Amino acid sequence: LTIRNNPALVSASFAHLATLSTLVIRGNAVLSQLYLDQPNMTVNPNWQICQNPALDAAWLQTFTANHPGGASCN
């Protein structure tokens, strides 16, 4: 799943995904809410969530705790 450079994207929901072999969320200026079925979801440990300044920091902290090994660089 790759979501990149969407200047008007405010939220995205993928609540029923069980496994992600790739996760890249980058450069979405107003993305504030991202819905994923965590902590039940399996995510490749090389995920990246970067340059999404409006993304809820508490959500990102929880996601990072549930899926170690990725890169969070908001």
Side-chain angles (χ1 to χ4, degrees), residues 13-31:
S13 178
F14 304 95
H16 300 289
L17 290 177
T19 303
L20 287 173
S21 60
T22 302
L23 176 64
V24 177
I25 311 295
R26 180 182 289 272
N28 302 288
V30 296
L31 178 65

Side-chain angles (χ1 to χ4, degrees), residues 1 12-20 34-38 40-41:
L1 174 64
S13 178
F14 304 95
H16 300 289
L17 290 177
T19 303
L20 287 173
L34 185 57
Y35 300 101
L36 297 171
D37 186 22
Q38 60 177 30
N40 301 320
M41 167 182 271

Side-chain angles (χ1 to χ4, degrees), residues 29-61:
V30 296
L31 178 65
S32 61
Q33 297 177 329
L34 185 57
Y35 300 101
L36 297 171
D37 186 22
Q38 60 177 30
N40 301 320
M41 167 182 271
T42 301
V43 179
N44 180 312
N46 295 321
W47 57 266
Q48 293 182 5
I49 300 177
C50 297
Q51 300 169 349
N52 306 285
L55 191 60
D56 180 26
W59 179 90
L60 188 54
Q61 182 178 9

